[in-house]
Amino acid sequence: MTDPASLADRVQEGELRIHELEAEADFDTAAEARRLLVERKTDADLEAIGDYAFPAERAEPNIENMIGAAQVPMGVVGPVSVSGGAVEGERYLPLATTEGALLASVNRGLSVIGSAGGADARVTKNGMTRAPVFRVDGVAEAAETVEWVEDNLEALREAAESTTSHGELLGVEPYVVGDSVYLRFAYDTKDAMGMNMATIATEAACEVVAEETPASLVALSGNLCSDKKPAAINAVEGRGRSVTADVVIPGDLVEDRLHTTAEAIVEANTRKNLVGSAKAGSLGFNAHAANVVGAAFLATGQDEAQVVEGANAITTMDARNAEDGATDLYASVSLASLEVGTVGGGTKLPTQSEALDVLGLRGGGDPAGSNADALAEIIAVGALAGELSLLAALASNHLASAHEDLGR
């Protein structure tokens, strides 16, 4: 076994180089050496960070300068009862978070949804986008470029799809701003989240545009994609998967289990999620969809920065008259740009792949894209459960007491 002090000395004195260890595929020793140096430089104790449960080699594609792992507590909610386009029945949803009371709240919502017969969910749109920006001399060249793109979609599709055996170019939407031309490419990336796939494919298509038009490529991403930033275009046009989940909850179930009424929840949703969000200038009109999206992303190996778009959601509630004269609650959540995958990226890490196993969704589905669609539908139902539970707590004035009991 390597003596830690000796290892740190050898690295610090230049006798041993960390990049040489990585070149020899000795990733655990490299991580240990780097961690020991950081401890020596900062006087921090990194024992817990260094106590990770998988070979550092497994994380090599996902991180540089590794010193260990951040361990976020993971729990499970469910069963999630869903009737979807890609998934049917009951699944358990792993969530990783440090927020006390979150899983208890989501579980309460899921229990009510299950007692109401389950939620429906559908992916209504699918397309990962990348939008390069080109320079032209002026609007005449911009119009010429746009016209060529619109007339030669097949040539762009051939170039883009030559870089991947899975991705399919769905379309290209041009936008002109002065002497800048933006081309928003959209791809079906199947079961991959697909950002890298879309980027590489778009680069190949851009070479064709630059050869055939007056336009010169300035940047492969012109921020009209729009990745990892709040953007109205994602709310309107979607990015990744647009998915909606809804449920009708009988009025007596609302009163017995949520301790309030359909009318009270509808009013809370209108005044908080709709009017309040509008007054704040929010792009999302929901209570806390980011909680479930973020926790599911961490648990299943999604790109955590894309919670920015993934939580771009609208929650609606409506009181409906039932045949027996009672007032039922219709509840829905629509996530406009949920970027998820079940292959590639962080989904291959050991703990994250195990979480996907809990869902029964590790790897590619049959047909291609079905596993990622199923994951999107399950997350949407989880988010709906969270919205129901929080709005009920607000409508019944139980929010503070719940956090006192569970938030610790």
Side-chain angles (χ1 to χ4, degrees):
M1 178 176 289
T2 305
D3 175 60
S6 173
L7 180 61
D9 287 340
R10 291 173 63 199
V11 172
Q12 191 163 351
E13 293 169 6
E15 179 186 339
L16 183 66
R17 298 182 184 277
I18 294 175
H19 70 84
E20 292 174 354
L21 290 169
E22 292 180 328
E24 296 170 3
D26 191 355
F27 295 100
D28 283 302
T29 304
E32 182 185 10
R34 195 178 288 113
R35 184 170 63 255
L36 291 169
L37 278 177
V38 172
E39 285 185 330
R40 185 170 289 186
K41 294 287 188 181
T42 64
D43 292 326
D45 182 354
L46 304 183
E47 180 181 0
I49 289 175
D51 187 18
Y52 49 93
F54 53 87
E57 181 180 359
R58 296 287 297 274
E60 189 273 332
N62 303 96
I63 195 165
E64 300 78 41
N65 296 336
M66 181 173 171
I67 62 172
Q71 299 174 72
V72 181
M74 187 186 300
V76 65
V77 295
V80 180
S81 181
V82 55
S83 176
V87 60
E88 191 79 28
E90 295 184 339
R91 303 289 176 100
Y92 286 91
L93 174 61
L95 298 176
T97 184
T98 58
E99 181 178 347
L102 175 60
L103 271 71
S105 178
V106 175
N107 250 340
R108 181 172 79 137
L110 287 173
S111 176
V112 172
I113 289 172
S115 296
D120 291 323
R122 295 291 188 279
V123 172
T124 56
K125 191 175 183 181
N126 176 22
M128 177 51 67
T129 61
R130 178 52 88 200
V133 55
F134 295 82
R135 180 198 316 111
V136 293
D137 281 346
V139 67
E141 286 192 356
E144 180 183 346
T145 300
V146 168
E147 182 178 359
W148 186 91
V149 168
E150 291 176 341
D151 290 343
N152 292 274
L153 181 60
E154 285 307 312
L156 296 178
R157 178 174 285 115
E158 181 179 353
E161 293 181 3
S162 70
T163 67
T164 172
S165 58
H166 301 291
E168 296 179 12
L169 179 62
L170 300 174
V172 183
E173 189 68 28
Y175 297 83
V176 174
V177 181
D179 61 355
S180 296
V181 176
Y182 300 83
L183 300 177
R184 195 171 191 255
F185 289 75
Y187 298 87
D188 181 353
T189 57
K190 309 305 179 183
D191 282 305
M193 181 272 283
M195 191 67 267
N196 290 339
M197 186 190 301
T199 298
I200 294 168
T202 300
E203 182 178 41
C206 285
E207 292 175 1
V208 178
V209 174
E211 289 172 1
E212 300 293 336
T213 75
S216 299
L217 181 65
V218 175
L220 194 53
S221 173
N223 270 11
L224 208 72
C225 312
S226 177
D227 190 36
K228 303 175 183 177
K229 292 165 283 291
I233 195 168
N234 290 340
V236 176
E237 297 293 337
R239 188 170 196 259
R241 283 166 168 82
S242 300
V243 56
T244 293
D246 67 2
V247 66
V248 176
I249 302 173
D252 58 352
L253 195 58
V254 174
E255 294 181 12
D256 292 344
R257 302 279 288 281
L258 296 176
H259 311 296
T260 184
T261 64
E263 293 89 345
I265 292 179
V266 169
E267 181 178 11
N269 184 70
T270 299
R271 296 185 185 277
K272 170 185 168 61
N273 286 345
L274 305 184
V275 179
S277 297
K279 179 63 176 175
S282 176
L283 286 177
F285 290 70
N286 61 83
H288 68 147
N291 256 330
V292 173
V293 172
F297 273 29
L298 287 174
T300 62
Q302 312 305 314
D303 189 330
E304 67 272 15
Q306 289 180 328
V307 174
V308 173
E309 307 103 275
N312 194 336
I314 297 176
T315 297
T316 68
M317 301 280 174
D318 186 30
R320 294 187 174 180
N321 293 326
E323 292 181 0
D324 60 2
T327 302
D328 296 341
L329 176 68
Y330 171 82
S332 81
V333 65
S334 298
L335 305 167
S337 43
L338 188 67
E339 296 138 329
V340 294
T342 58
V343 299
T347 67
K348 295 187 291 186
L349 290 168
T351 52
Q352 286 77 2
S353 61
E354 287 180 9
L356 287 169
D357 282 339
V358 170
L359 287 154
L361 298 175
R362 189 208 289 212
D366 184 17
S370 60
N371 273 3
D373 281 350
L375 179 59
E377 291 172 354
I378 293 168
I379 291 174
V381 177
L384 177 60
E387 295 293 282
L388 274 169
S389 185
L390 177 53
L391 286 167
L394 289 166
S396 61
N397 293 317
H398 288 162
L399 180 63
S401 60
H403 275 275
E404 285 176 357
D405 292 341
L406 296 171
R408 291 176 288 278

